[in-house]
Amino acid sequence: MTMTSTAIRPVPRWAVRAAHAIALVTVPSGLWRVALVTGLPIGYVAGRPPIPAGESAYIIGLSVVSELAALLTIGLVKPWGEVPPRWVPLVGGRRMRPRAVLAAAYTGATLITLFCGYAALAAILRLGSGFPFLSATGHAILIVCYLPLLAWGPLTYAVAYSYQRRHRPVR
């Protein structure tokens, strides 16, 4: 007769570093979007039209949501990812089911990989109208700021895999 235990193994140091790196790779693109909205000089061509208020709110909101999503990945390596604080609506104070956590993590990693990969390819190849208000220098700044996002998906896969290995039943 075999017994299984659900003892959680310690978090590897590389997984903690990868989870924190995820939060950092979203910062340059967020700062670029803030610069875009505030009009900071990031390589505009002359005659750039102002960004409407609603679009500005969307752009800033995208930056905030991206960073929050990236920070959420740290929960895969911290105790608050196992049992969220009581103040968190719906799940606070209750142990998270590893399968649900992994489904969310792997789905998020897949969507992020697909979206960031397409966006990077579109920016590099200037697919569609893209950013007609950017000069060649501005376009280069855009690429440099968005390139780190290509690491977001693969890093999320790695951290999720670490979480999965730590939550495997032990025989």
Side-chain angles (χ1 to χ4, degrees):
M1 177 171 159
T2 59
M3 302 269 304
T4 59
S5 167
T6 56
I8 300 169
R9 296 164 192 84
V11 181
R13 180 175 281 140
W14 69 262
V16 174
R17 288 183 178 152
H20 286 87
I22 292 168
L24 295 176
V25 299
T26 59
V27 171
S29 61
L31 292 175
W32 186 89
R33 287 189 292 269
V34 169
L36 172 71
V37 168
T38 58
L40 291 174
I42 54 173
Y44 304 119
V45 296
R48 182 197 100 159
I51 299 173
E55 193 173 338
S56 293
Y58 166 77
I59 292 169
I60 295 298
L62 178 62
S63 296
V64 171
V65 168
S66 296
E67 194 59 42
L68 289 174
L71 289 169
L72 197 57
T73 309
I74 295 173
L76 294 172
V77 297
K78 294 291 182 183
W80 57 263
E82 305 285 338
V83 180
R86 292 201 179 278
W87 57 265
V88 175
L90 303 174
V91 295
R94 296 173 30 198
R95 180 162 291 285
M96 300 295 292
R97 291 186 10 214
R99 282 189 176 185
V101 170
L102 287 168
Y106 283 129
T107 300
T110 300
L111 293 173
I112 290 164
T113 300
L114 291 172
F115 180 75
C116 292
Y118 172 77
L121 184 64
I124 291 168
L125 299 178
R126 295 184 184 216
L127 299 176
S129 60
F131 298 93
F133 55 85
L134 289 176
S135 66
T137 301
H139 196 76
I141 293 170
L142 168 79
I143 290 171
V144 167
C145 289
Y146 272 77
L147 223 50
L149 288 180
L150 292 176
W152 187 2
L155 285 171
T156 303
Y157 279 121
V159 175
Y161 180 71
S162 169
Y163 180 93
Q164 181 178 352
R165 287 189 47 91
R166 289 184 292 110
H167 289 80
R168 246 188 348 211
V170 179
R171 294 182 190 260

